Amino acid sequence: MVSKETSATKDAVRTLRVGVVGAGVMGTNHGRVLAGLPGIEMVGIVDPMLEHRTRAEKLIGCKTFADLDTLLAAGVDAVTIAAPTHLHHEVALACIAKGIHVLVEKPIASTVEEGREIVEAAQKAGVTLMIGHVERFNPAVATIKKAIEGEDILSIGITRVGPFPPRMSNVGVVIDLAVHDIDLIRWFTESDIVEVQPQLASAVAEREDIALLQFRTASGVLAHINTNWLTPFKARTVTVATRGKYVMGDLLTRQVTECFGFKTDGSYSMRHLPVGQDEPLRAELMAFLDAVRTGGVPAVTGEEGVASLEIAIQCLEAPKKRAATATRPAPRKVVG
């Protein structure tokens, strides 16, 4: 008889057969990282577009498949889903039904109902379900999280702006960008968001391309997100005010600064905090595969993915307004 400990050890070191669904930019990155991880056999990438499959074969050197059934027939232990959001529900349920562990890129699904169905199916099947909120694995974010541990958080401010993307699926900045930061607010505060005050506008796109979002958590923290597709350069910053310190982080340059020791005369001390250099996607995929091997709770659960999507959709339910200008060209067509 094999002991439980011996069985668990063998399972932890066995090679995992992994596939990727979607060979766009994100899916190709998934394949690239997975192909370089130890203990992983990269079975292949699924995409209906020949152009995408050809690019993936050239960049990664792995097999590609035109449909999901062919990948599943080849035999996989786990898949990462980087297909368009409207396909997440269908693809995730098909994989879960075959007992395959799943990482779903954010957002978990197009609707809260679909997200909940994915979570319920994974629970019933006893498979690992993780959501790809990769920003949690940004070393600067991890440093901020550590710096505010045990602190009485008062407010959080997040800026995530940049130019209009050349190719974008049929979503606006809330689902594409702000959902990252909704997740971070919930993760930093370890509290649910209970109040939402969104201001949305369309300046050059058919969907919202400007969003100023305000929140209050159940723990009383005030937070805001400033996001748009109108800034000519990318900016990703986080500030957290607590009763004892003020933490500033640049998620692109990965610099985190902490202000502390506030005095009545207005003086204070400042220091730069050490930040790691790990690739966020690599850290995320390793966390997923570790959860698959150990059966542990994944770093970002399905329930957390649904909760962040639910808040994002609440933001979208507010009436969208046009940005105020004297004259305006026709809305920009979104390619996707």
Side-chain angles (χ1 to χ4, degrees), residues 27-241:
T28 301
N29 280 331
H30 276 233
R32 169 186 60 81
V33 172
L34 287 167
L37 293 180
I40 297 300
E41 181 180 346
M42 183 61 191
V43 177
I45 300 182
V46 174
D47 199 290
M49 295 181 62
L50 177 60
E51 176 187 352
H52 287 180
R53 297 199 302 273
T54 301
R55 181 181 61 190
E57 289 172 356
K58 184 179 298 185
L59 292 177
I60 304 169
C62 67
K63 291 182 179 179
T64 60
F65 306 90
D67 60 83
L68 178 63
D69 289 341
T70 309
L71 170 67
L72 300 186
V76 289
D77 300 304
V79 299
T80 68
I81 300 174
T85 301
H86 71 274
L87 297 175
H88 287 186
H89 179 255
E90 175 187 350
V91 174
L93 291 185
C95 295
I96 290 169
K98 293 185 177 295
I100 296 168
H101 305 284
V102 175
L103 180 145
V104 183
E105 267 297 341
K106 66 83 189 168
I108 183 174
S110 296
T111 68
V112 171
E113 292 72 20
E114 287 184 351
R116 288 173 178 162
E117 287 178 9
I118 294 172
V119 171
E120 183 178 354
Q123 291 172 342
K124 288 182 177 179
V127 301
T128 297
L129 169 64
M130 179 167 155
I131 311 306
H133 280 285
V134 70
E135 200 69 277
R136 286 203 200 183
F137 297 87
N138 185 315
V141 169
T143 296
I144 294 169
K145 173 72 169 174
K146 184 176 180 181
I148 62 177
E149 280 182 0
E151 292 285 325
D152 184 7
I153 301 172
L154 302 176
S155 69
I156 299 173
I158 303 179
T159 296
R160 186 180 297 270
V161 298
F164 195 91
R167 291 186 62 86
M168 178 50 56
S169 59
N170 199 25
V171 297
V173 291
V174 172
I175 296 296
D176 184 57
L177 298 181
V179 73
H180 279 295
D181 304 311
I182 291 169
D183 176 70
L184 290 185
I185 290 167
R186 297 184 70 258
W187 189 51
F188 284 152
T189 62
E190 298 180 1
S191 180
D192 290 330
I193 292 172
V194 294
E195 290 183 30
V196 176
Q197 295 180 336
Q199 294 290 335
L200 311 176
S202 298
V204 298
E206 293 175 309
R207 291 181 178 265
E208 84 285 348
D209 50 21
I210 309 170
L212 300 175
L213 312 175
Q214 293 184 316
F215 308 98
R216 184 188 297 271
T217 70
S219 58
V221 175
L222 299 181
H224 71 266
I225 298 171
N226 170 26
T227 187
N228 69 55
W229 281 330
L230 305 178
T231 308
F233 54 85
K234 282 187 176 182
R236 307 281 189 269
T237 61
V238 175
T239 59
V240 182

